[in-house]
Amino acid sequence: MLRRLDRPGPRYTSYPTADRFVEAFGPAEYAQALAQRASGATVGGKPPLSLYIHIPFCESVCYYCACNKVITKHHDKAAEYLDVLTQEVALHTAVLGHGQAVSQLHLGGGTPTFLSDDELTRLMAMLREAFRLAPGAEISIEVDPRTATPERLQHFAALGFNRLSFGVQDFDADVQKAVHRVQPFDSVQALMQSARALGYESINADLIYGLPRQTPESFARTIAQVAELRPDRIALYSYAHLPQRFKPQRRIIVEQLPPPEHRVKMLGGAIAGFIAQGYTYIGMDHFALPGDALAAAKRQGRLHRNFQGYSTQPDCDLIALGVSAIGRMGATYSQNAKTIDEYYDAVRQGQFPTVRGLALSRDDLVRRAVVMALMCQGRLDFESIELAHLIKMRDYFKAELDDLAELQSLGLCELRADGVQVTATGWYFVRAVAMVFDRHLRADQVRERFSRII
């Protein structure tokens, strides 16, 4: 089944996906979306607010990386970046006002821990002055184990961070050298032990399979080591080799990449290994211990999905700050300038640095509801979609429902009178089910832009 369904497809952290954004959506359109939130002119009232802050700097390049980043050892660049971030936040508060309640805040990158402790203190003080972090808010930061110490983790906790995500990728020494990211198991273990002693609510570990020099046997050892560390959550991603789009990947030796049959074994072995260690398979590329909030949300049908992946948070307006950051406001998506210079120029001129985005059509909103229901709940209830969007599902999606017959014959879903149910097996291939309802994919069969399902 894994081999049969191994084809490119979106991860659906949004629908429509970011590759569909257009340059016709710019600063004026984003400002209008913000103003609509400020005036309360949104359907269903104001949703909760999330913040994402992109810190692009890294001291060294990881060859597999597809993130927007600036490689530098000059830490003085961070001060200038924080100056401009402060100006970008001021542009938002000028429209929204100060003190908007925030239920979720995430620092990503790049390497957020490139910032010094004093710089992180400055950043969090600025954000707290502009916004109000709600009681119980999820406040998370991505941590490069090579730039962190137990003392730094203590400082993060003092700043209010209650969730950490460690970039592990692989513990095999040969693989680490092949991707230019050497970090011994012992150092990560010490950091995780410190994080537990400090009382962090949730600790995540990121892994990647399909990297150069990986084998099913070597990756099985990494899986066992990660299970020994017992992170609350695990994100397991498939490496997408797209050197034409991501320059650092050109340093990877193609002949060292594992063949498709080995990738299949790595994924199957990882799923079996983590489940055997007591982890709940959340969906697609996420695992969590039964006591974690994400596993509870899965059991209770409260999973949601945003640009960071699966989440316990309900649909939020997302303010995305920093170079290349992608946000969501009402029925719109937006992305900031992708280069530092372009980002700086826009903000310093008093403009939102939005360079592209999308105002969702009625069809987009219907399909977003369908895709997210499948991705998050594993079930599509016809009546709820029909009542919310005033359509007849069997008429509106006749072609799509007909196309589900193949996936139903494979045992991945069940087409019922009242909806579509993803099966237990189908949950491992849920984005293949969701792809059936993607109007853009149906019109455009060129899919090289996406990672493979496996």
Side-chain angles (χ1 to χ4, degrees), residues 294-316:
L294 201 62
K298 169 71 163 57
R299 290 193 299 271
Q300 297 163 8
R302 295 186 294 102
L303 269 185
H304 297 274
R305 195 157 176 80
N306 58 30
F307 289 109
Q308 276 74 58
Y310 282 109
S311 170
T312 60
Q313 295 287 306
D315 285 348
C316 292

Side-chain angles (χ1 to χ4, degrees), residues 347-363:
V347 176
R348 284 169 174 163
Q349 292 175 30
Q351 286 191 337
F352 289 108
T354 309
V355 293
R356 65 184 194 129
L358 193 67
L360 275 64
S361 67
R362 180 174 178 267
D363 179 73

Side-chain angles (χ1 to χ4, degrees), residues 224-244:
Q225 287 174 296
V226 172
E228 179 185 340
L229 295 177
R230 240 26 211 171
D232 302 282
R233 300 178 185 179
I234 297 164
L236 174 66
Y237 298 113
S238 170
Y239 170 65
H241 189 61
L242 300 169
Q244 68 277 17

Side-chain angles (χ1 to χ4, degrees), residues 41-89:
T42 53
V43 178
K46 289 185 182 180
L49 190 63
S50 289
L51 297 179
Y52 172 74
I53 301 95
H54 189 81
I55 308 297
F57 305 109
C58 297
E59 286 194 359
S60 63
V61 65
C62 302
Y63 296 163
Y64 57 79
C65 187
C67 299
N68 186 288
K69 59 204 167 290
V70 175
I71 307 301
T72 180
K73 292 188 182 295
H74 298 289
H75 282 253
D76 56 323
K77 291 181 179 291
E80 182 182 14
Y81 189 75
L82 292 180
D83 288 342
V84 181
L85 267 180
T86 301
Q87 293 176 266
E88 187 186 3
V89 168

Side-chain angles (χ1 to χ4, degrees), residues 20-204:
R20 306 297 174 179
F21 293 0
V22 295
E23 293 180 359
F25 189 103
E29 288 73 21
Y30 180 65
Q32 182 180 17
L34 276 180
Q36 288 177 341
R37 177 185 171 92
S39 66
T42 53
V43 178
K46 289 185 182 180
L49 190 63
S50 289
L51 297 179
Y52 172 74
I53 301 95
H54 189 81
I55 308 297
F57 305 109
C58 297
E59 286 194 359
S60 63
V61 65
C62 302
Y63 296 163
Y64 57 79
C65 187
C67 299
N68 186 288
K69 59 204 167 290
V70 175
I71 307 301
T72 180
K73 292 188 182 295
H74 298 289
H75 282 253
D76 56 323
K77 291 181 179 291
E80 182 182 14
Y81 189 75
L82 292 180
D83 288 342
V84 181
L85 267 180
T86 301
Q87 293 176 266
E88 187 186 3
V89 168
L91 292 174
H92 284 83
T93 55
V95 179
L96 296 174
H98 282 73
Q100 289 271 309
V102 170
S103 61
Q104 190 176 49
L105 184 155
H106 183 78
L107 263 61
T111 306
T113 47
F114 178 93
L115 300 182
S116 68
D117 286 354
D118 287 345
E119 287 164 342
L120 280 169
T121 298
R122 174 190 169 189
L123 173 60
M124 291 303 295
M126 180 268 288
L127 294 172
R128 287 180 184 275
E129 182 180 349
F131 303 96
R132 178 175 60 85
L133 296 182
E138 294 185 0
I139 307 175
S140 57
I141 181 171
E142 296 174 10
V143 176
D144 181 342
R146 300 169 299 173
T147 61
T149 62
E151 291 75 24
R152 294 207 76 191
L153 298 188
Q154 186 172 10
H155 184 70
F156 301 161
L159 292 177
F161 288 99
N162 50 33
R163 285 166 167 75
L164 300 175
S165 181
F166 288 104
V168 172
Q169 323 317 347
D170 194 296
F171 279 127
D172 185 89
D174 288 339
V175 175
Q176 290 185 353
K177 290 175 185 175
V179 298
H180 200 237
R181 188 186 177 102
V182 176
Q183 50 189 29
F185 172 80
D186 291 347
S187 66
V188 178
Q189 183 181 45
L191 288 172
M192 284 211 179
Q193 289 172 345
S194 296
R196 294 201 184 286
L198 290 165
Y200 280 92
E201 293 178 24
S202 186
I203 302 169
N204 176 78

Side-chain angles (χ1 to χ4, degrees), residues 382-436:
F382 287 174
E383 184 178 15
S384 64
I385 300 292
E386 289 175 342
L387 290 174
H389 297 278
L390 303 178
I391 63 169
K392 290 292 185 183
M393 287 291 293
R394 290 193 175 275
D395 294 336
Y396 199 95
F397 290 111
K398 183 180 186 306
E400 288 83 352
L401 295 175
D402 288 345
D403 289 348
L404 280 182
E406 179 187 0
L407 297 183
Q408 184 171 237
S409 70
L410 294 174
L412 303 186
C413 64
E414 297 175 3
L415 183 56
R416 301 173 178 175
D418 61 347
V420 177
Q421 178 68 53
V422 177
T423 65
T425 301
W427 191 241
Y428 295 96
F429 310 94
V430 65
R431 63 172 163 158
V433 182
M435 283 163 61
V436 172

